[in-house]
Amino acid sequence: MGSLDIGIDLGTCSIYASDTSRTSIIREPSLVAIDKRTGKVMGAGQDVYEMIGKTPGHIEVVHPLRDGVISDFAMTEVLIKHMLKRSTDSFLLKPRVCLCVPSSITNVESQAVIDATIAAGARKVYLIEEPVAAAIGAGVDVSRANGNMIVDVGGGTTDIAVLSLSGIVCKTSVKVAGHAFDEALIKYLRAKYNLLIGEPTAERIKMEIGSVYEGSSEAVTGAKGRDLISGLPKKVMLRRSETWQVLKEPMAQILTAIVSVLERTPPELAADIRTNGVILTGGGVLINGFDRAVAQRTKIPARIAEDPERCVAYGTAMSFEYLDKLYNGFVGS
């Protein structure tokens, strides 16, 4: 990548790094593997993802981030250092780094993110709230006096905000997102089919046939795992109509959060949102029917941003153009 200004989307499931030109982006799973006997780091990112469910007992796969914030400081430092090494060609000059964080992050959590990034080798660290980064990455001019609603569905959190004049007018963040959908599928297969599956399989099912909108066209996929009764490998066929019944509960929580923000939005900005529509970003919005479910509940058009999975990372890198608008370390807060 070679840039000395790097934007990092520090997500629960995946971590993205982008340069300011948007010409290069790196994605890695937010995972670190350690040897519990020695404490030695065995790897980070994609290499570790391929180890899930296949490691001996002494190797532990760690999720350093939970619900978008640090749960393991040392392993987060390892993960960020891994991304910085992949993102810059310079070993002498330390990069400036802008990190994207959930709107609900506390001051203590913010400082932990900054400390981990400095320890990983950053020269200067800035933070930006997820909805602002998503809006910038989606091509929204956040400096205009025009209301835009952003719904960013990541792995651990869904961030919802109404933006105008480079600021957040009203917002909320709920800890229901991609992981919640995966967990719902895991519980369903366990309860109905006595089938135990792992997170990678649940994510594959979600993206292949998962739906949050009733009436989507039918689709079928196979789910392989371990039979909880016999202990032997087992495969079942799963239909899209089944997944809607499973995923509608976490989706209902997201829709309720969206409506709660709309109810607090000033009338003039609400009129803008009706014209502009609701902008959907994050990998979670790629589930079948997500945009239709939002439009049906809010009675407002909803559109998925171009390249929604990378949208926040692009916006985080582009936020270096807004450094003069920083307030307490946040762009647009």
Side-chain angles (χ1 to χ4, degrees):
M1 188 179 289
S3 173
L4 291 180
D5 283 342
I6 299 169
I8 295 180
D9 177 12
L10 202 61
T12 302
C13 295
S14 299
I15 181 169
Y16 292 86
S18 176
D19 62 12
T20 53
S21 67
R22 293 181 57 146
T23 57
S24 179
I25 190 163
I26 297 167
R27 174 195 175 276
E28 296 269 358
S30 299
L31 298 169
V32 177
I34 57 172
D35 188 327
K36 291 190 291 185
R37 299 172 303 183
T38 63
K40 181 182 177 182
V41 175
M42 304 298 293
Q46 184 62 38
D47 292 342
V48 177
Y49 182 80
E50 294 170 3
M51 298 180 188
I52 294 178
K54 304 175 183 178
T55 59
H58 66 277
I59 296 179
E60 181 182 7
V61 175
V62 178
H63 293 263
L65 301 147
R66 288 290 182 186
D67 301 326
V69 296
I70 291 177
S71 60
D72 188 318
F73 181 89
M75 293 302 103
T76 299
E77 182 183 331
V78 169
L79 190 60
I80 295 174
K81 187 176 292 184
H82 172 72
M83 294 303 287
L84 292 182
K85 283 182 179 179
R86 290 205 58 196
S87 302
T88 180
D89 299 328
S90 174
F91 297 99
L92 298 176
L93 299 176
K94 294 184 176 182
R96 294 192 305 172
V97 177
C98 185
L99 284 123
C100 180
V101 293
S103 295
S104 58
I105 195 169
T106 65
N107 290 336
V108 173
E109 290 166 341
S110 295
Q111 193 59 51
V113 171
I114 292 169
D115 292 344
T117 309
I118 292 290
R123 168 166 51 99
K124 181 79 173 177
V125 181
Y126 305 96
L127 301 181
I128 181 172
E129 292 189 56
E130 254 177 71
V132 181
I136 294 171
V140 175
D141 184 354
V142 296
S143 64
R144 292 180 58 207
N146 188 29
N148 285 279
M149 174 173 249
I150 303 292
V151 177
D152 181 68
V153 185
T157 60
T158 294
D159 286 274
I160 305 153
V162 173
L163 309 175
S164 181
L165 287 171
S166 299
I168 295 177
V169 179
C170 49
K171 65 181 180 181
T172 192
S173 181
V174 291
K175 293 181 179 180
V176 181
H179 262 328
F181 292 129
D182 295 341
E183 289 169 5
L185 287 168
I186 291 171
K187 289 178 182 177
Y188 173 75
L189 285 165
R190 182 171 189 148
K192 182 164 184 179
Y193 297 103
N194 291 312
L195 182 70
L196 181 64
I197 63 170
E199 290 179 13
T201 299
E203 185 178 11
R204 178 186 61 79
I205 293 169
K206 175 183 69 178
M207 299 314 297
E208 285 185 1
I209 65 162
S211 181
V212 292
Y213 183 76
E214 187 178 14
S216 295
S217 58
E218 192 63 284
V220 180
T221 193
K224 297 178 182 179
R226 177 164 58 85
D227 190 310
L228 289 168
I229 297 175
S230 68
L232 299 174
K234 178 180 176 179
K235 178 180 178 180
V236 301
M237 301 308 292
L238 198 62
R239 299 188 308 276
R240 174 167 284 165
S241 53
E242 286 182 86
T243 68
W244 175 75
Q245 294 291 338
V246 177
L247 302 179
K248 66 179 182 180
E249 183 177 340
M251 185 63 188
Q253 296 180 57
I254 293 174
L255 293 173
T256 298
I258 294 172
V259 171
S260 73
V261 172
L262 285 170
E263 289 173 344
R264 292 184 279 117
T265 302
E268 295 301 322
L269 294 181
D272 290 339
I273 293 168
R274 177 165 289 279
T275 300
N276 298 330
V278 179
I279 302 170
L280 308 174
T281 66
V285 305
L286 294 175
I287 300 174
N288 180 273
F290 197 99
D291 52 343
R292 287 177 287 171
V294 172
Q296 183 183 63
R297 178 64 187 276
T298 63
K299 312 303 181 189
I300 297 172
R303 66 177 177 88
I304 297 175
E306 183 181 349
D307 202 355
E309 288 185 282
R310 296 172 172 83
C311 195
V312 173
Y314 287 142
T316 304
M318 293 165 64
S319 67
F320 284 99
E321 300 172 16
Y322 295 82
L323 292 185
D324 60 329
K325 299 182 179 66
L326 282 174
Y327 175 73
N328 286 344
F330 287 87
V331 176
S333 64

